[in-house]
Amino acid sequence: MERQVSLLAIIRVPMDQITIQAGVDAAQPGDVVLVLRGIYKEAVVVSKSFIRIVAEDKGEAILEGRGLLANGFLLHNVTDVEICGFKIQNYILNGIFVMDGGYHRLLENCCESNGLHGIGLVSKSNLVWKNMLRQNSYAGTAIDGNDNWLIDNQITGNHTDGIFLLAGSHNSLLSNIILRSVHSAGLSLQGSNTLIYENEFKNNLQGIVIYTESDISASDIMDNNEIVNNSAQGIVWVHKDSKGDEQELPLSPSEDKLLQYISCVKELLELAEQTLDQIPERQLHSHIMNIVLIKQYVQKLSL
């Protein structure tokens, strides 16, 4: 089926449209939503494929969640969307959350001080390149999907993990700098067949923690990484014996990372629901959609 693309159109926010959401809703395949500098207190739901959403001046178009809104950008079941050059901060859940669909480009954004992750991917074949992911309350980025590429990102000062790869295979982590993951690892790895090449893991609690029941040498490829000055361990393999007991644990023996993660997301969802009466009417629909979709995601994780 041949893809239909309009002649290139540029929709300017806030000139042609008042909000980023209005610009996205007006866009057609092939269009660019060009966001001028300013502070945008909104949660943007992207339900159009084949569009670009670009900050005119990198870092000067700021999405501000104010601790009230769920996600900065939510991409749901769409394909080939680019988000480039934004600063996204103070959302209850994620700066950018991608659920289903794929083949997106998340480029040169700064996602900081969000309640869950800077970037969350439940999706396949996405490029995450040259983003700054810092001081988020859970991970800098979390991945639940296949064939994603994380390249040249700076991931620093996140409360738990720098990168949390909770499921999926054939993901590639190349030339990222992961610093000062406060209470966990630069990388917590539960997926398989992961390429980890030329990354820097420095000053984290652990450098890399690998949770797997298979022989890591038969699945993951790690080469030329710099893993130094991590306060507990450099690389740790956490696996289960025939009784299901975890061995070589660098953490508490009772700790189950997935259950902890689900519990954290549920708590933040409750917080997001409590803010409904404080959300401006024009934002309410997208905020509710954010909550509904994240609930669906948690149900999948809990199965």
Side-chain angles (χ1 to χ4, degrees):
M1 182 175 177
E2 186 176 350
R3 174 175 141 195
Q4 298 295 316
V5 178
S6 66
L7 293 174
L8 177 65
I10 297 178
I11 301 170
R12 289 176 173 81
V13 178
M15 293 167 56
D16 301 328
Q17 301 291 339
I18 288 180
T19 64
I20 300 173
Q21 185 68 67
V24 168
D25 292 343
Q28 298 299 314
D31 288 352
V32 177
V33 180
L34 185 65
V35 181
L36 307 186
R37 62 173 57 211
I39 298 175
Y40 299 85
K41 299 175 182 179
E42 55 180 308
V44 181
V45 176
V46 181
S47 55
K48 301 277 186 77
S49 297
F50 310 117
I51 64 172
R52 299 175 62 206
I53 309 169
V54 180
E56 182 182 48
D57 298 305
K58 186 172 68 176
E60 298 298 329
I62 301 170
L63 271 75
E64 173 57 65
R66 298 171 292 157
L68 297 175
L69 299 171
N71 297 292
F73 285 104
L74 171 65
L75 282 61
H76 177 235
N77 201 25
V78 291
T79 302
D80 196 0
V81 171
E82 179 177 317
I83 297 177
C84 179
F86 291 90
K87 186 174 183 180
I88 308 167
Q89 62 189 25
N90 299 320
Y91 285 84
I92 294 175
L93 291 164
N94 306 278
I96 302 172
F97 189 71
V98 182
M99 185 169 176
D100 301 325
Y103 302 94
H104 305 301
R105 299 171 306 285
L106 310 179
L107 314 175
E108 299 186 280
N109 302 287
C110 176
C111 300
E112 67 178 12
S113 302
N114 298 293
L116 195 58
H117 312 307
I119 294 175
L121 299 177
V122 188
S123 180
K124 64 182 181 181
S125 302
N126 301 289
L127 171 63
V128 180
W129 180 72
K130 285 196 173 182
N131 298 277
M132 173 70 75
L133 309 173
R134 61 191 182 196
Q135 298 174 358
N136 298 287
S137 294
Y138 202 88
T141 184
I143 302 171
D144 181 356
N146 305 324
D147 302 302
N148 295 287
W149 293 79
L150 271 67
I151 304 175
D152 284 336
N153 301 283
Q154 293 190 42
I155 304 173
T156 180
N158 297 286
H159 194 66
T160 56
D161 300 305
I163 301 170
F164 180 25
L165 206 165
L166 68 154
S169 65
H170 297 94
N171 294 288
S172 298
L173 316 178
L174 310 175
S175 301
N176 300 285
I177 299 173
I178 303 100
L179 307 173
R180 298 190 297 279
S181 301
V182 179
H183 293 299
S184 192
L187 168 62
S188 285
L189 178 60
Q190 298 187 169
S192 61
N193 294 286
T194 306
L195 173 61
I196 307 165
Y197 185 73
E198 288 194 345
N199 302 280
E200 296 180 23
F201 299 92
K202 296 181 178 178
N203 302 312
N204 305 287
L205 182 59
Q206 291 98 7
I208 301 174
V209 180
I210 301 171
Y211 300 82
T212 176
E213 296 182 22
S214 62
D215 184 352
I216 59 173
S217 65
S219 56
D220 302 312
I221 300 174
M222 290 189 286
D223 191 25
N224 211 31
N225 298 285
E226 186 175 1
I227 306 173
V228 297
N229 296 331
N230 298 288
S231 57
Q233 296 95 350
I235 301 177
V236 180
W237 177 25
V238 178
H239 66 98
K240 292 183 179 180
D241 61 19
S242 59
K243 297 180 180 179
D245 297 324
E246 291 185 340
Q247 304 296 319
E248 300 183 56
L249 274 170
L251 310 173
S252 165
S254 64
E255 184 165 14
D256 186 315
K257 199 165 187 67
L258 181 59
L259 290 179
Q260 283 192 335
Y261 176 61
I262 292 172
S263 176
C264 175
V265 178
K266 285 181 176 179
E267 288 179 8
L268 292 171
L269 275 170
E270 290 178 4
L271 178 61
E273 290 181 314
Q274 291 169 10
T275 68
L276 285 172
D277 61 346
Q278 303 176 56
I279 305 300
E281 186 173 350
R282 70 180 186 185
Q283 287 295 315
L284 196 56
H285 175 74
S286 62
H287 185 67
I288 291 172
M289 184 178 291
N290 272 268
I291 293 172
V292 169
L293 292 173
I294 298 291
K295 282 185 174 180
Q296 292 177 8
Y297 169 53
V298 173
Q299 288 175 355
K300 289 181 181 179
L301 285 177
S302 302
L303 293 177

